[in-house]
Amino acid sequence: MSTVRSERPAKPVRPEPPAEPTPPERPAKPVRLNWRIRLRRDRSLLLMTVPAIVLLLVFAYVPLFGVVTAFQEYDPLIGVWQSEWAGLYQFERLFGDPQFWEAMKNTLYLSFVQLILFFPVPIALALMLNSVISERVRNFIQSVVYLPHFFSWVLAITIFQQMLGGAGALNQFLRQHDLGTWDIMTNPDTFALLVTSQAVWKEAGWGIIVFLAALSAINSELYEAAAADGAGRMRRMWHITLPGLRGVIVLMLVLRLGNALSVGFEQFLIQREAVGHDAADVLDTFSFYYGIATGDYSYGAAAGLFKSVLSLLLIWGANRLAHVFGEDGLYRK
């Protein structure tokens, strides 16, 4: 009798587990060089920075020691150590002085006028120069607009006097044609526009350097793609150029606001007698005339210290505002 063997069902084949993905290779850690090796490697660059560091120490940090005179009855004959301590007395005098508040008002007004009328000019000049195709023409225009920066304020104001003064070319032309005269250089009502036009003529060309460098960093392929899509010059400027300049514009605006109270000592000092102290006195000239010129050094130091603290608050506030709009400003958060 034969027996029939029953075949057992084959065991199901288990699928092999998927292979584990290989972890990505970690980037090699940068090798930290010894400070002696870095010093030997960068000695040429460090030597180049020594003159700038010395100038910064001598003219920026060492004079900070003189701030203590704002809290004294400083007498240069006996020195800082022997001068009598006055506490906040100089600041009480300062805040109770109507001339100080008049200078403060003039400073804020002139800063606002220059911010509105002067700050956009270098941006506009940079955009126009960037649109010039001929490199030779562009270099010639840059040289022309750079040149006034190297003139002193004495020479710049003399040129304006020869053109717009009482005996200048403009008034001589008006007299020859019986059109009267136009008082510009000695009119307190138009003094803000006068000093702003002088600043634009002298410094706007120098201010375009940063913006031209920022324009050169914008990818030219963006312009080619926009032109292929039919975007005109204005749309390319609005959607490519200005967004590319936004970070630099915000940075320069922060720096401008931090330096807003320093509207120009030499420029106002030269023209103060022509228009009167009511129109031309700013915080810098106030510190000079009512502090150094009269021998009241502690009073002038108090005015200078107040201006420095206010400038620091302005630049801090402007930088915080830049962070609100998503820009880095002077430093990242």
Side-chain angles (χ1 to χ4, degrees), residues 127-202:
L127 292 175
M128 288 189 293
L129 282 177
N130 190 59
S131 64
V132 176
I133 300 177
S134 174
E135 184 177 357
R136 180 176 298 180
V137 175
R138 184 166 60 246
N139 292 336
F140 174 76
I141 296 174
Q142 287 183 20
S143 301
V144 171
V145 296
Y146 286 172
L147 185 61
H149 170 76
F150 300 99
F151 296 165
S152 67
W153 273 115
V154 176
L155 179 57
I157 294 172
T158 301
I159 293 174
F160 270 77
Q161 182 68 32
Q162 294 297 322
M163 297 298 296
L164 305 177
L170 175 62
N171 280 322
Q172 288 183 6
F173 175 81
L174 294 176
R175 289 192 190 97
Q176 290 175 0
H177 295 81
D178 296 329
L179 299 175
T181 58
W182 191 11
D183 186 12
I184 298 176
M185 298 298 294
T186 59
N187 188 358
D189 297 331
T190 59
F191 182 67
L193 297 177
L194 173 66
V195 295
T196 302
S197 61
Q198 292 169 351
V200 169
W201 179 78
K202 186 176 184 297

Side-chain angles (χ1 to χ4, degrees), residues 220-233 236 240:
S220 60
E221 294 180 358
L222 297 176
Y223 293 102
E224 296 173 1
D229 290 339
R233 177 175 296 181
R236 292 198 299 267
I240 299 176

Side-chain angles (χ1 to χ4, degrees), residues 33 35-49:
L33 300 178
W35 67 270
R36 292 187 180 88
I37 299 176
R38 287 182 290 162
L39 182 63
R40 187 163 53 251
R41 181 193 63 186
D42 300 333
R43 61 181 180 273
S44 300
L45 298 176
L46 294 174
L47 287 175
M48 292 173 61
T49 62

Side-chain angles (χ1 to χ4, degrees), residues 257-259 261 306-318:
L257 290 176
N259 202 36
L261 301 183
F306 175 79
K307 177 199 143 185
S308 300
V309 172
L310 197 57
S311 298
L312 181 62
L313 293 176
L314 280 174
I315 199 169
W316 176 80

